[in-house]
Amino acid sequence: AVHPSLDFVATGQQGKTPSIRIWSSARPKGGVDPSVLESRRILEGFHKRAVSLLCFSDSGDLIASVGQDESHSIAVYNWNSGALVSTAKGDGNKVLAISFVPGSNDIVTCGVKHVRFWTLKGRNLSSKKGVLGTKKVNNGITKRRSKKCRNASI
């Protein structure tokens, strides 16, 4: 993930206790090798197996991550302080993308057969599942969602 200022990048590791690393993307001054990035922060302790997806908020203060555990768990960190702000179980199906909603701390995740809209309030992270395709309502009547919604991307 690339920070909105373009001064930092984040990477996720895999392994028993994977971490998230925030790197300075600014070119070092002096005789330092320009191909070497400086690690600015290590966030660890929540995810299992791997950190598969990352994204920064518009403000750049928060970073959201998705793990490769059975629940595809989600974590939100204040990466400057290293504080774990909130966590939640994700979706049982594989998550393929995560993004903060522009101008807010709300998050959208999508993946195999699902889309979820997450709301971050304090330490609470709650989600609502989006409807893809058709949905049966009340007395068995099928309601079709518009193609615009079905083809929306993050």
Side-chain angles (χ1 to χ4, degrees):
V2 179
H3 191 273
S5 71
L6 307 179
D7 291 334
F8 304 98
V9 294
T11 59
Q13 293 184 325
Q14 66 180 30
K16 189 176 179 182
T17 54
S19 63
I20 298 166
R21 291 187 182 254
I22 313 294
W23 307 86
S24 172
S25 59
R27 293 192 172 213
K29 294 179 180 161
V32 180
D33 181 354
S35 66
V36 177
L37 298 179
E38 177 188 355
S39 179
R40 299 299 291 269
R41 173 78 59 198
I42 298 173
L43 307 168
E44 57 191 352
F46 175 71
H47 288 296
K48 307 292 184 229
R49 295 187 189 155
V51 176
S52 56
L53 299 167
L54 295 164
C55 68
F56 284 99
S57 62
D58 277 0
S59 68
D61 295 333
L62 301 176
I63 187 165
S65 58
V66 176
Q68 280 190 347
D69 58 287
E70 296 84 15
S71 300
H72 302 99
S73 296
I74 296 177
V76 178
Y77 292 89
N78 178 320
W79 75 270
N80 286 307
S81 68
L84 180 59
V85 175
S86 187
T87 63
K89 286 187 177 184
D91 198 274
N93 292 315
K94 186 172 183 171
V95 179
L96 301 173
I98 185 169
S99 181
F100 277 91
V101 174
S104 79
N105 287 338
D106 292 342
I107 299 169
V108 178
T109 58
C110 64
V112 176
K113 299 182 181 179
H114 79 278
V115 61
R116 284 188 182 265
F117 301 92
W118 299 86
T119 302
L120 178 63
K121 289 185 181 173
R123 294 194 55 82
N124 296 323
L125 187 61
S126 59
S127 74
K128 290 185 179 181
K129 203 166 193 176
V131 177
L132 302 174
T134 59
K135 179 182 179 182
K136 294 201 187 264
V137 290
N138 295 339
N139 56 2
I141 298 171
T142 300
K143 203 177 201 182
R144 181 167 266 310
R145 299 292 172 200
S146 75
K147 289 185 179 187
K148 289 180 184 176
C149 292
R150 287 184 21 205
N151 295 328
S153 62
I154 296 175

